[in-house]
Amino acid sequence: MVGLVVVSHSRALARAAVGLAAEMIRGAAVPIEVAAGLDDTAFGTDAVAITEAVAAADRGDGVVVLMDLGSAVLSAELALELLADDLRDRVVLCPGPLVEGLLAAAVAAAGGAGRDEVAAEADAGLAGKRSQLGVPVTDAPDTGGGNGDGPSATVTVLNRHGLHARPAARLVTLARSFDAEVRVRNAETGSPWVPASSLSRIATLGVLHGHRMQVRASGPQARAAVEGIVALAGRAFDETEPASAEPEGPAAQGRAASPGIAIGPARHLSSAPLDIPDLPARGPAQERQRIDDALASVRQDLEKLRAGAGSIFDAHLLLLDDADLLTEVRSRIDAGEAAPPAWAAATARVAGEFEALADPYLKARAADVRAVADQMLRALLGVPAAVTRGSGVLIAADLTPAEAAALDPVRVAGVLLALGSPTAHSAILLRTRGIPAVVGAGPAALEVADGTPVALDGGTGEVLVAPSEAALAALRERARGQAARREQAAGRASAPAVTRDGVRVAVGANVGSAAEARAAAEHGADLIGLIRTEFLFLDRDAAPEVEEQEAAWREIAQALGGRRITVRTLDVGGDKPLRYLPAPVEQNPFLGVRGLRYTLRHPGLLADQLLAVVRVARDVPVSLMFPMVSTVDEVVHARRMLDEAVAREGGGEPAGLQVGIMVEVPAAALKAAAFAPYVDFLSIGTNDLTQYALAAERGNPALAALADGLDPGVLRLIEAVCRGAGERVTVAVCGELAGDEAAVPLLTGLGVRELSVAPRSVPAIKEAVRATDLATAAALTRVALEMPDAAAVRALLDGPG
């Protein structure tokens, strides 16, 4: 493959141009090197740096060098003289425009073109711009319809912005993959026929939204080429934003929350109103019994939900046992109130206290209180929960976790929420259950009349109301493509995830029960990247014994066939207190005693957990992970306790036992090098790292756009972890960002070599790894780090145009 070198006075300009080129070729392994600037800020060019870049880009098929102006050309010429004769003969200095030329050259190189053709494509890079502005294009003659006797077709371009750079690049890449000569023309303008293998020539056609484009081909695979291009056009050239050739109803843009495409009639969530009757109490004993019966019923319902959804419902269950709340309820009943108004008043008081707090994380807990309060009141009054009538796309202001967990994926094609956050518990549940969802679409979503056709893409956040037939056809074609990719991913889910350039990335699963571990095994997880051990400690009156813990970890290991499991030590405090070890009242418990800080203050609890881990590690490979670490002293103390557990068990340290920490605090990320001597791995919890770095609670709908793990500030923290880890220490990501397919190139480009996600997401994330070229990903990452915010990074990942 031909390599490319970008020579520019500005390093930032060169990196940005490489980022654009990377989007044109979408993971193809084109070697692109940068020789630009004297450093990150000083302008200039360096001939020696250019020679090094040429050598790095050369794969034996030659190198094309693009330059900006002036001394860049002189430096490139000098560099040419410094090269060995055999390499110099394979290098072409191209006079084409730097940015446009690089895009055209990258697409040509990705398609297997030789260095002369790559250079010619780069040299003609301005042809599209000249054509658009009405400047004569002297170097793009009419090539005629020389393959007029071969198969042909006419397609309508559905893309909203026409056949701009990225869809044109998809066309070129596909055309070059066939053993055929393919030509296209714009039937609307009567343009000349041009080679479909040339990005610069296609740019001269000026194909706009709704234009008809003719395709002809000749050669052994002519028919397959034409059919492939027809299918590609039907998929809107694989752009994330489909457009229709007909007018359609209003479109909205929410936030992608659960991938997949949903099409169906709007169905609003409906529920009977909760009117609390003003009736006299039947007597304290009877009213107390009503409360106890309702508590038992709701607890049973929540336990069932937790069994299928992990630890999301832990906070809800704990609220049912909150001593302060229940004392108030019973005091109100003893004073003569009936059970429903007593419960309503007490929970309203608790929710109000949460809402009055300054800390956004705690403030958002009011929603959990209200959700449980609603569930209890319905049990007390015999009022059914909210339901949807008929099948289709569910529209609601927001969903509680219980409502999300109760949805029937057979009847609910998708979910559209006016409020909500992609990292809220309800969104996590929707992803786990495979229901496409868009959140944060705004109040206008609630005005869509019941029965109105709605289409949404949970992977892009796009919503179409009363879409046209053309738009629906494009969406259905995209859905078929997604289904085919899911099927392909599932078919090789158990195979290792290896990047295009041969680097293996482990893809594990986050679990909170043996049932989730079995699901992880079914979806091809390489390991368990995180066991949320809290499921064994919450909602009980005493801590589990060592033997119970050992049995639980062994059951999870057995479910995965003896592959490595990662046991996170108890992560409580904040919104997960233990009723048998009550924590003192803190002004802000999320910046207080939680995670490892908590268990170090309760050494008996930690010692038992470490002993259970050591016992299991005798038979299966175990990674032990300490949460919410801030200082090296905490790790030293915890490791000393681990040594004591090993001595207590006897037999020396298990061979497969590894020790690591979670990086959830910005200070820990910036001090990664200080932790590296004491650990085997660092696992980044992007949920907490993001909210602490941005001071934005991830479940707060008002901050949903801000609490994005792709913010460059968060990416720089991840970069610091990878840099500080060095060669020996593995860096993993186990937060929600690991399950974002778009983020995979950035994370791996930064140096992450293990991703742990929800079990259902394992096959898709493995496919995203396989589509990644680390050299290209590293270039894309360098550009992303310079972006101003997460929106700009996501725009970069979506590509130009």
Side-chain angles (χ1 to χ4, degrees), residues 197-555:
S197 58
S198 170
L199 183 66
S200 59
R201 297 295 187 264
I202 289 175
T204 67
L205 298 181
V207 179
L208 303 177
H209 165 63
H211 278 190
R212 291 173 299 116
M213 186 176 70
Q214 292 176 295
V215 185
R216 288 178 177 172
S218 62
Q221 293 185 304
R223 184 165 299 282
V226 171
E227 291 174 352
I229 291 172
V230 169
L232 180 65
R235 301 196 304 270
F237 295 89
D238 291 337
E239 266 205 295
T240 57
E241 179 190 13
S244 66
E246 303 173 16
E248 58 191 39
Q253 186 69 34
R255 297 200 67 198
S258 180
I261 289 171
I263 300 172
R267 300 298 184 199
H268 288 265
L269 194 67
S270 62
S271 59
L274 274 173
D275 293 325
I276 300 175
D278 187 15
L279 296 174
R282 307 173 200 173
Q286 286 182 283
E287 297 300 331
R288 278 173 172 257
Q289 189 61 49
R290 290 178 70 188
I291 289 290
D292 291 342
D293 291 345
L295 285 170
S297 174
V298 171
R299 184 179 289 108
Q300 185 178 33
D301 290 343
L302 289 175
E303 289 283 6
K304 289 178 182 177
L305 293 173
R306 189 175 70 168
S311 60
I312 285 173
F313 293 98
D314 288 340
H316 293 202
L317 281 163
L318 287 168
L319 189 65
L320 297 179
D321 294 310
D322 185 279
D324 179 57
L325 172 65
L326 294 178
T327 297
E328 180 178 347
V329 171
R330 285 165 183 147
S331 295
R332 287 177 173 275
I333 287 174
D334 291 342
E337 286 189 36
W343 176 264
T347 51
R349 189 265 305 169
V350 175
E353 288 178 354
F354 274 117
E355 285 186 332
L357 296 172
D359 181 78
Y361 198 108
L362 292 174
K363 193 182 186 77
R365 296 285 67 77
D368 288 334
V369 176
R370 290 204 168 89
V372 177
D374 180 273
Q375 207 167 348
M376 272 288 294
L377 284 172
R378 290 185 184 280
L380 286 166
L381 298 170
V383 176
V387 295
T388 55
R389 305 192 184 284
S391 302
V393 175
L394 172 63
I395 299 178
D398 205 350
L399 290 177
T400 67
E403 288 168 342
L407 294 180
D408 180 0
V410 175
R411 295 176 60 242
V412 179
V415 171
L416 173 62
L417 300 181
L419 305 173
S421 160
T423 53
H425 288 156
S426 56
I428 294 171
L429 284 167
L430 291 171
R431 285 195 293 276
T432 301
R433 311 196 70 212
I435 299 176
V438 173
V439 302
L446 301 176
E447 299 174 6
V448 177
D450 209 64
T452 303
V454 173
L456 62 82
D457 187 335
T460 66
E462 185 183 28
V463 180
L464 295 176
V465 178
S468 67
E469 282 304 315
L472 283 176
L475 275 174
R476 289 188 180 110
E477 182 61 34
R478 196 193 312 175
R480 283 191 288 270
Q482 290 179 357
R485 287 192 291 274
R486 283 195 301 272
E487 185 176 348
Q488 180 188 41
R492 54 180 186 171
S494 297
V498 181
T499 65
R500 295 169 70 96
D501 43 356
V503 176
R504 181 167 180 173
V505 176
V507 180
N510 302 329
V511 304
S513 66
E516 288 185 346
R518 287 188 284 273
E522 292 170 3
H523 287 94
D526 298 325
L527 73 159
I528 297 299
L530 165 65
I531 299 176
R532 297 181 292 266
T533 61
E534 299 75 48
F535 78 89
L536 208 58
F537 288 77
L538 295 167
D539 194 32
R540 56 192 298 162
D541 296 319
E545 298 291 337
V546 173
E547 291 73 21
E548 184 181 353
Q549 296 183 54
E550 179 186 353
W553 315 148
R554 287 190 184 279
E555 186 179 6

Side-chain angles (χ1 to χ4, degrees), residues 46-122:
D46 180 351
V48 174
I50 297 171
T51 62
E52 294 171 349
V54 168
D58 182 48
R59 298 291 188 274
D61 295 320
V63 177
V64 173
V65 181
L66 291 113
M67 305 145 286
D68 53 13
L69 72 167
S71 65
V73 180
L74 297 176
S75 295
E77 289 177 326
L78 176 57
L80 204 60
E81 295 300 318
L82 299 176
L83 293 172
D85 291 346
D86 61 332
L87 179 53
R88 183 188 308 121
D89 292 341
R90 296 197 297 274
V91 177
V92 176
L93 301 185
C94 178
L98 182 69
V99 177
E100 296 91 339
L102 177 61
L103 268 58
V107 172
R115 65 176 178 271
D116 291 336
E117 186 180 354
V118 170
E121 274 292 286

